[in-house]
Coordinates of all heavy atoms in Angstrom, one line a residue:
R1 N 0.9 -1.1 0.0 CA 0.0 -0.1 -0.1 C 0.9 1.2 0.0 O 2.0 1.1 0.4 CB -0.9 0.0 1.2 CG -0.2 0.2 2.5 CD -1.2 0.2 3.7 NE -0.5 0.2 4.9 CZ -1.0 0.1 6.1 NH1 -2.3 -0.1 6.2 NH2 -0.3 0.1 7.2
Y2 N 0.3 2.3 -0.4 CA 1.0 3.6 -0.4 C 0.5 4.4 0.8 O -0.7 4.4 1.1 CB 0.7 4.4 -1.6 CG 1.4 3.8 -2.8 CD1 0.6 3.2 -3.9 CD2 2.8 3.8 -3.0 CE1 1.2 2.6 -5.0 CE2 3.3 3.2 -4.2 CZ 2.6 2.6 -5.1 OH 3.2 2.0 -6.1
T3 N 1.5 4.9 1.6 CA 1.2 5.8 2.7 C 1.8 7.1 2.6 O 2.5 7.4 1.6 CB 1.8 5.1 4.0 OG1 3.2 5.2 3.9 CG2 1.3 3.6 4.1
E4 N 1.5 8.1 3.5 CA 2.1 9.3 3.4 C 3.6 9.4 3.4 O 4.3 10.2 2.9 CB 1.5 10.2 4.6 CG 0.1 10.6 4.4 CD -0.5 11.4 5.6 OE1 0.3 11.9 6.4 OE2 -1.7 11.6 5.6
S5 N 4.1 8.3 4.0 CA 5.6 8.2 4.2 C 6.2 7.2 3.1 O 7.5 6.9 3.1 CB 6.0 7.7 5.6 OG 5.4 6.5 5.8
G6 N 5.4 6.8 2.1 CA 5.9 6.1 1.0 C 5.2 4.7 1.0 O 4.3 4.4 1.7
P7 N 5.6 3.8 0.1 CA 5.1 2.5 0.0 C 5.3 1.6 1.1 O 6.4 1.8 1.8 CB 5.6 1.9 -1.3 CG 6.9 2.7 -1.5 CD 6.7 4.0 -0.9
Q8 N 4.5 0.7 1.5 CA 4.6 -0.2 2.6 C 4.2 -1.6 2.1 O 3.2 -1.9 1.6 CB 3.8 0.2 3.8 CG 3.8 -0.8 4.9 CD 2.8 -0.4 6.1 OE1 1.7 0.2 5.7 NE2 3.1 -0.7 7.3
G9 N 5.1 -2.6 2.2 CA 4.9 -3.9 2.0 C 3.9 -4.6 3.0 O 4.1 -4.3 4.2
L10 N 3.1 -5.4 2.5 CA 2.1 -6.1 3.4 C 2.3 -7.6 3.4 O 1.4 -8.3 4.0 CB 0.7 -5.7 2.9 CG 0.4 -4.2 3.0 CD1 -1.1 -4.0 2.3 CD2 0.4 -3.6 4.3
A11 N 3.2 -8.2 2.6 CA 3.4 -9.5 2.5 C 4.6 -10.0 3.3 O 5.2 -11.1 2.9 CB 3.5 -9.9 1.0
G12 N 5.1 -9.3 4.3 CA 6.2 -9.7 5.0 C 6.0 -11.0 5.8 O 4.9 -11.5 5.8
G13 N 7.1 -11.6 6.3 CA 7.1 -12.9 7.1 C 7.2 -14.0 6.2 O 7.3 -15.1 6.7
K14 N 7.4 -13.8 4.9 CA 7.6 -15.0 4.1 C 9.1 -15.3 3.8 O 9.8 -14.3 4.0 CB 6.9 -14.8 2.6 CG 5.4 -14.7 2.8 CD 4.8 -14.7 1.4 CE 3.2 -14.4 1.5 NZ 2.5 -15.4 2.4
H15 N 9.4 -16.4 3.5 CA 10.8 -16.7 3.1 C 10.7 -17.1 1.6 O 10.1 -18.1 1.3 CB 11.3 -17.9 3.9 CG 12.8 -18.2 3.8 ND1 13.4 -19.1 4.7 CD2 13.6 -17.8 2.9 CE1 14.6 -19.2 4.3 NE2 14.8 -18.5 3.2
V16 N 11.5 -16.4 0.8 CA 11.5 -16.6 -0.6 C 12.9 -17.1 -1.0 O 14.0 -16.5 -0.6 CB 11.1 -15.4 -1.4 CG1 11.2 -15.6 -3.0 CG2 9.7 -14.9 -1.0
I17 N 13.0 -18.2 -1.7 CA 14.2 -18.7 -2.2 C 14.1 -18.9 -3.8 O 13.2 -19.5 -4.2 CB 14.5 -20.1 -1.6 CG1 14.5 -20.1 -0.1 CG2 16.0 -20.6 -2.2 CD1 14.5 -21.4 0.6
V18 N 15.1 -18.2 -4.4 CA 15.0 -18.2 -5.9 C 16.1 -19.0 -6.4 O 17.2 -18.9 -6.1 CB 15.2 -16.7 -6.4 CG1 15.2 -16.7 -8.0 CG2 14.1 -15.8 -5.9
A19 N 15.8 -20.1 -7.3 CA 16.7 -20.8 -8.0 C 17.0 -20.1 -9.4 O 16.1 -20.1 -10.1 CB 16.2 -22.3 -8.2
S20 N 18.2 -19.6 -9.5 CA 18.5 -18.8 -10.6 C 19.4 -19.5 -11.6 O 20.5 -20.0 -11.2 CB 19.1 -17.5 -10.2 OG 19.7 -16.8 -11.2
G21 N 19.1 -19.6 -12.9 CA 20.0 -20.2 -13.9 C 20.3 -19.1 -14.9 O 19.4 -18.4 -15.4
R22 N 21.7 -19.1 -15.3 CA 22.1 -18.1 -16.2 C 23.0 -18.7 -17.2 O 23.9 -19.4 -16.8 CB 22.8 -16.9 -15.5 CG 22.0 -16.3 -14.5 CD 22.7 -15.6 -13.3 NE 21.8 -14.7 -12.5 CZ 22.2 -13.6 -12.0 NH1 23.5 -13.2 -12.1 NH2 21.4 -12.9 -11.2
G23 N 22.8 -18.5 -18.4 CA 23.7 -19.1 -19.5 C 25.0 -18.4 -19.4 O 26.1 -19.0 -19.6
G24 N 25.1 -17.1 -19.1 CA 26.5 -16.4 -18.9 C 26.8 -16.3 -17.4 O 26.1 -16.8 -16.6
Q25 N 27.8 -15.5 -17.3 CA 28.3 -15.2 -15.8 C 28.2 -13.8 -15.5 O 28.8 -13.0 -16.2 CB 29.7 -15.7 -15.7 CG 29.8 -17.3 -15.7 CD 31.2 -17.8 -15.4 OE1 32.3 -17.2 -15.6 NE2 31.3 -19.1 -14.8
Y26 N 27.5 -13.5 -14.4 CA 27.2 -12.1 -14.1 C 27.6 -11.7 -12.7 O 28.1 -10.6 -12.5 CB 25.7 -11.9 -14.2 CG 25.1 -12.1 -15.6 CD1 24.7 -13.3 -16.1 CD2 25.2 -11.0 -16.6 CE1 24.3 -13.5 -17.4 CE2 24.7 -11.3 -17.8 CZ 24.4 -12.5 -18.2 OH 23.9 -12.6 -19.5
G27 N 27.8 -12.6 -11.9 CA 28.3 -12.3 -10.5 C 27.4 -11.4 -9.8 O 26.3 -11.1 -10.1
E28 N 27.9 -10.9 -8.7 CA 27.2 -10.0 -7.8 C 27.0 -8.6 -8.4 O 28.0 -8.1 -8.8 CB 27.8 -10.0 -6.5 CG 27.9 -11.3 -5.7 CD 26.5 -11.7 -5.0 OE1 25.7 -10.7 -4.8 OE2 26.3 -12.9 -5.0
A29 N 25.9 -8.1 -8.4 CA 25.6 -6.7 -8.7 C 26.0 -6.3 -10.2 O 26.5 -5.3 -10.4 CB 26.1 -5.8 -7.7

């Protein structure tokens, strides 16, 4: 939701794990 102080996430408390596959090499950032 949007508040006077900016956006606020409402779906906290979850643990998300992403399995990422990449043809090339990108590294961190």
